[in-house]
Amino acid sequence: MITRLTLKNLAAHKLRLGLTALAVVLGTAFVAGTLIFSGTTDKAFDELFSEGTHTVDVTVQGRQAFAGSADGVSVKPVPASVLDEVRGVDGVAEARGEITGFAAIVGRDGKIVGGNGPPQLGIGWPSSLSDYGLVTGRGPAGPHEIAIDSVTAEKTGYTTGDQVKVVARGPAEPYEVVGVFKVGASGTTGGVTYAAFEPATAQRLLVEPGAFSGIVAKAADGVSPAELAARVGAVVPSQFEAITAQQAADDAAGDVRELLGFLSTFLLTFGVISIFVGSFIIFNTFSMLVAQRTRDLALLRAVGASRRQVTLSVMGEALGVGLLGSIAGLLAGAGLAVGLRGLFSAFGADLPTTGLVIAPSTVVWTLAVGVTVTLVAAYFPARRAAKTPPVAALRDDVATPARSLRARAVAGGLFAVVGGVLLATGLAGDGGNPLALVGGGALLVFLSVAMLSPLFARPVTRVLGAPLVRLFGTTARLGSGNAQRNPRRTSATAAALMIGMALIATVSVLAASMTASIDKALDGSLGADFQVSSGGGFGPSGSFDPSVAAALTAVPGVRSATPMTYAQVKLDNEPVFATVGDPAALAGPFGLEMESGGLAAGADEILVDARTAKAGGWTAGSTVRGQYADGAFATIRIAGVFADNPMAGSYLLGEATHAAHYPGSRVSTVLVVKEPGADAATVRKALDASLAAYPNLTLQDQSDIKEQARASVGQLLTMITALLVLSIVIAILGIINTLALSVIERTREIGLLRAVGMGRRQLRRMIRYESVLISVFGALLGIAVGIGFGWAVQRALASQGIDVLSVPAAQLGAYLAAAALVGVLAAVWPARRAARMDVLRAIATQ
């Protein structure tokens, strides 16, 4: 009987429950899409990186103390003599040297192909053990010949016989394209561009003459890769290591998987937000459905249905809504995963192609999340339905009696206190898992605001409605009264919009604070007039030859051109990034102010800022145990302590120490200071002319650097806001759902209003006013909470350089106006339905 009743109720309320299911669809789609995207890309990259293991068994490379360094050149070159030793190892069937490094192809428009996205690689053209198969032409054999990958050839239109410029160690040089090759079996490159040179040219441009980036070997029959790796590792010098090709592929795939894991977590966060927002709609919908069916439920009780059976009936409806919504969300998630791949391609990161991977765990998690959230949201309305007394079937007044808000106030206050403590602990970094603490604290704060909002929903909506009443009279008064009539319903409807708006306001405050802090840091710490960098980024955004600095120094009107880069070093076993350069030369461009010690940094010496020195208990002359990227340990001396300087960073490492332990002599940035009195525009024009042969380099003045920083923050804000708009869409559905159900609940009342002379247009306006008040109420709550969250996050990040609080009032005001527009749009359909009611039937409704 319960099953039949549940199915009939689902069929009887298709539209209302369908809107609720749509909220489940949108939330679970993000969860499913992220899981499908993650599984698909993981499989694609595993296949891509494992392709090399078909032709290679062992790789020899420079030993590293830790993965990566900011200068982009962290692997020690392998001398040709090591190749001879590897070839002499028993069990090696074949071995060759590999050569890789930076080499950017210049497009027909004079710009670097690929821009600032995936890397631009140069390789030595192999004769065997190759994963590169020629498509047309031949491999490069002369010093001015190259072959390019098929994806780049298709993108640029280059083909065999064309003249192409390539930037490697120095200025762009012309080469003839003699061949086009395919990378691996799939031919996809993930957005990476490839330029292949003959071996001697590749060594000169990418590594150093007579050296290789690494050595690969193929095992003889009967010798396992692990066994061969052990044999090779026993003969190569200690600064090199031999690992199996599978391990090398796993390490490379692991780096990509870590990045994709961060992206998946980022996207899943918005899925969780969507589900959380949708739960308010589900709760509200079932609460109103139960309230409107009080008499029906009482009749069930009167004819013998138990409380348990009534509860199961309502929960059965929730199960049906959750199940159907989750299944639809899974299908929508597959489309979202395809869209994410297209988005990556649009940004130049062509991911390896493979079919969509919908793992059983993805199906289970999607269904579990959607169904569980729906059942939990419907549980309390179901309990209230079960408590309906049978005598209610005899009354005309079937409204659910109002309950005290005292329990809500106590619970909401408790949630606020606990949530605030968790937030403060997580933002201070004192707990074991700061991210979990911040997330849990934010969740409790949102629940607290949602629980407490009925306490002030009536007075706030009365205040918000007062101007409308003055301007639009009776219809506005009725709309305002409807919003105030049921503060629980108003607050529950507004809560969905409140969450989305709170998160958008938080991001807006944080973005504005970041921009203001960057402006302050640049104004106070960057004394350079110009900056030259690969890709235009301030930081480890690329590397180039230090000869560029010498060329810029010779430009008329230039006082100094100081090269710098970044490197990773361990201090007390903790990896940190250090700025590398001559501290004395950087003092001017960075505006360094020494507090103790000197600017000279000799071998195994480092300078630190005051905050870092205080945290470590260091002073000028202190020593600390350190380790460099090549694995060498050293006792590193603190040569000096300088005042906190955001542009210089926390550590300054001398050039001599860097040259001794980090391969290559590349730089990532050159800071240019013009002569006093020199015309900035004239100097810039001369600098542009000097850099004409380096299309991979970008020249910026201080205003350009500020604008780029603002643009980067703006892009991040736009991306996050676009994702959060999903929660706003769900909130709009909630308002539509609430208004639609409210119209049905007030059918007789609407009929009476029409009977006493209210026109259809006036009725539509009344419902619009109610919707606008609910939307603005939710937006105000959200903005207030968001400003609080933004302030808390900014204070927590003050030590990381975000030390200026900025509240974008105009932007938040625009969001509030947009919320009012949301209210207007959400009311369109419910208002039209109300206006089309038959007056006599409406009056006769019980």
Side-chain angles (χ1 to χ4, degrees):
M1 181 186 77
I2 295 299
T3 303
R4 289 199 303 272
L5 182 62
T6 299
L7 293 175
K8 287 182 179 180
N9 284 331
L10 285 171
H13 306 99
K14 293 187 291 290
L15 182 59
R16 311 174 206 174
L17 295 176
L19 288 171
T20 305
L22 187 56
V24 181
V25 172
L26 292 174
T28 53
F30 238 99
V31 174
T34 301
L35 294 175
I36 293 171
F37 174 76
S38 178
T40 301
T41 50
D42 280 351
K43 179 184 177 184
F45 275 108
D46 284 344
E47 292 177 351
L48 177 65
F49 286 116
S50 65
E51 285 179 347
T53 63
H54 302 151
T55 56
V56 173
D57 293 310
V58 172
T59 296
V60 177
Q61 61 188 18
R63 194 181 297 275
Q64 292 179 271
F66 35 82
S69 81
D71 61 8
V73 187
S74 58
V75 179
K76 183 178 180 63
V78 183
S81 58
V82 177
L83 177 59
D84 295 333
E85 294 177 1
V86 172
R87 284 173 171 165
V89 173
D90 182 32
V92 172
E94 188 178 355
R96 68 168 173 84
E98 281 194 327
I99 309 164
T100 60
F102 169 78
I105 299 170
V106 182
R108 297 183 186 275
D109 58 357
K111 298 180 181 179
I112 296 297
V113 179
N116 303 323
Q120 293 92 8
L121 290 183
I123 61 173
W125 183 252
S127 57
S128 59
L129 300 180
S130 172
D131 282 326
Y132 309 106
L134 279 170
V135 177
T136 59
R138 58 176 175 83
H144 298 289
E145 296 179 344
I146 64 165
I148 62 176
D149 67 273
S150 56
V151 176
T152 301
E154 182 179 355
K155 186 181 299 184
T156 60
Y158 287 140
T159 185
T160 55
D162 287 342
Q163 291 292 313
V164 175
K165 286 188 175 182
V166 179
V167 180
R169 192 175 293 275
E173 298 180 20
Y175 295 87
E176 180 186 355
V177 178
V178 296
V180 175
F181 59 90
K182 183 174 71 170
V183 179
S186 64
T188 58
T189 64
V192 178
T193 63
Y194 291 84
F197 306 87
E198 61 90 20
T201 302
Q203 287 177 323
R204 175 178 64 84
L205 292 176
L206 310 177
V207 192
E208 59 185 47
F212 304 102
S213 305
I215 294 171
V216 293
K218 181 71 176 175
D221 293 340
V223 180
S224 69
E227 183 179 357
L228 184 62
R231 293 180 185 179
V232 172
V235 302
V236 299
S238 59
Q239 63 265 43
F240 304 104
E241 62 180 352
I243 59 175
T244 64
Q246 187 60 57
Q247 181 182 342
D250 292 341
D251 290 344
D255 293 339
V256 175
R257 196 176 288 113
E258 183 178 353
L259 175 62
L260 293 175
F262 170 79
L263 177 63
S264 297
T265 302
F266 180 76
L267 294 174
L268 272 176
T269 300
F270 293 95
V272 171
I273 292 170
S274 300
I275 287 287
F276 184 51
V277 172
S279 66
F280 284 89
I281 299 176
I282 298 166
F283 174 84
N284 220 20
T285 300
F286 279 94
S287 294
M288 296 184 71
L289 286 175
V290 166
Q292 291 175 14
R293 288 157 50 197
T294 300
R295 193 171 187 180
D296 294 340
L297 296 173
L299 283 171
L300 284 176
R301 294 294 313 283
V303 298
S306 66
R307 288 188 174 186
R308 179 174 177 273
Q309 288 175 314
V310 173
T311 301
L312 289 176
S313 174
V314 177
M315 293 297 285
E317 294 177 36
L319 176 63
V321 169
L323 194 59
L324 291 175
S326 299
I327 293 172
L330 181 64
L331 298 176
L336 179 63
V338 174
L340 286 172
R341 290 174 61 84
L343 184 63
F344 270 75
S345 297
F347 281 99
D350 300 316
L351 297 176
T353 55
T354 187
L356 287 180
V357 176
I358 304 178
S361 59
T362 299
V363 178
V364 171
W365 273 110
T366 303
L367 295 180
V369 168
V371 171
T372 300
V373 169
T374 308
L375 290 176
V376 170
Y379 175 69
F380 291 103
R383 281 192 62 190
R384 287 203 299 273
K387 293 179 180 179
T388 304
V391 72
L394 305 177
R395 297 202 305 260
D396 288 336
D397 180 14
V398 295
T400 302
R403 290 168 287 126
S404 171
L405 294 174
R406 184 177 304 168
R408 268 181 173 263
V410 173
L414 182 62
F415 279 11
V417 171
V418 176
V421 171
L422 290 177
L423 269 174
T425 305
L427 291 172
D430 297 333
N433 190 336
L435 185 61
L437 290 173
V438 170
L443 175 64
L444 290 179
V445 169
F446 279 133
L447 289 174
S448 169
V449 174
M451 296 181 75
L452 295 175
S453 56
L455 298 174
F456 42 86
R458 187 169 286 153
V460 171
T461 51
R462 184 183 298 118
V463 171
L464 292 175
L468 295 178
V469 172
R470 289 195 184 94
L471 290 172
F472 303 108
T474 303
T475 53
R477 181 178 292 106
L478 290 172
S480 177
N482 289 336
Q484 299 170 40
R485 180 185 299 183
N486 192 331
R488 291 176 184 271
R489 180 189 304 166
T490 297
S491 61
T493 306
L497 184 60
M498 178 267 292
I499 296 169
M501 195 63 71
L503 294 171
I504 290 176
T506 300
V507 173
S508 299
V509 171
L510 187 58
S513 299
M514 289 173 65
T515 300
S517 300
I518 290 170
D519 286 348
K520 176 187 173 184
L522 288 170
D523 290 338
S525 303
L526 186 60
D529 298 294
F530 302 97
Q531 169 186 289
V532 176
S533 60
S534 177
F538 199 107
S541 59
S543 60
F544 49 94
D545 196 78
S547 60
V548 173
L552 295 176
T553 304
V555 171
V558 171
R559 180 177 184 178
S560 66
T562 308
M564 54 170 284
T565 188
Y566 299 86
Q568 202 172 14
V569 61
K570 282 186 178 179
L571 299 177
D572 279 340
N573 208 37
E574 289 294 327
V576 299
F577 280 109
T579 302
V580 176
D582 180 0
L586 289 171
F590 277 149
L592 286 180
E593 296 179 5
M594 298 302 298
E595 293 190 355
S596 61
L599 282 168
D604 295 330
E605 289 187 337
I606 196 169
L607 279 69
V608 299
D609 67 0
R611 182 178 63 249
T612 303
K614 182 179 179 181
W618 301 330
T619 59
S622 297
T623 58
V624 58
R625 181 68 169 168
Q627 186 182 21
Y628 302 111
D630 62 357
F633 287 92
T635 299
I636 299 178
R637 178 178 177 272
I638 308 299
V641 177
F642 57 89
D644 294 346
N645 187 300
M647 295 297 100
S650 298
Y651 306 89
L652 274 175
L653 190 67
E655 292 175 315
T657 302
H658 182 261
H661 297 283
Y662 296 80
S665 57
R666 312 280 283 179
V667 300
S668 63
T669 306
V670 176
L671 301 175
V672 180
V673 178
K674 67 181 181 65
E675 292 284 0
D679 180 64
T682 303
V683 174
R684 177 160 193 164
K685 186 175 181 180
L687 289 171
D688 277 326
S690 179
L691 294 171
Y694 299 89
N696 59 314
L697 301 184
T698 301
L699 174 67
Q700 298 172 297
D701 59 20
Q702 288 200 12
S703 62
D704 293 331
I705 298 171
K706 285 183 180 180
E707 186 58 37
Q708 184 191 35
R710 294 191 191 102
S712 298
V713 174
Q715 288 174 355
L716 179 63
L717 172 63
T718 301
M719 180 178 65
I720 295 177
T721 302
L723 291 171
L724 287 173
V725 164
L726 178 64
S727 64
I728 303 297
V729 172
I730 296 174
I732 294 173
L733 290 176
I735 297 172
I736 294 173
N737 220 4
T738 298
L739 290 175
L741 290 171
S742 180
V743 165
I744 295 171
E745 184 181 82
R746 303 199 303 259
T747 298
R748 189 176 187 184
E749 176 186 316
I750 290 171
L752 289 172
L753 287 172
R754 295 276 286 113
V756 297
M758 176 176 276
R760 290 184 175 181
R761 179 177 296 180
Q762 291 174 309
L763 182 61
R764 288 195 295 266
R765 285 177 180 173
M766 180 188 75
I767 294 175
R768 279 200 298 269
Y769 295 146
E770 178 183 358
S771 178
V772 167
L773 287 176
I774 293 173
S775 298
V776 173
F777 173 59
L780 277 175
L781 279 180
I783 289 173
V785 173
I787 291 174
F789 279 175
W791 170 81
V793 175
Q794 182 272 323
R795 295 309 307 158
L797 296 177
S799 61
Q800 307 299 317
I802 306 177
D803 55 353
V804 179
L805 175 65
S806 177
V807 179
Q811 189 175 20
L812 297 179
Y815 290 153
L816 191 60
L821 179 60
V822 163
V824 173
L825 296 176
V828 171
W829 179 66
R832 285 172 60 87
R833 288 197 66 188
R836 290 179 177 179
M837 281 185 183
D838 183 272
V839 176
L840 294 179
R841 288 184 180 180
I843 295 174
T845 299
Q846 295 293 328

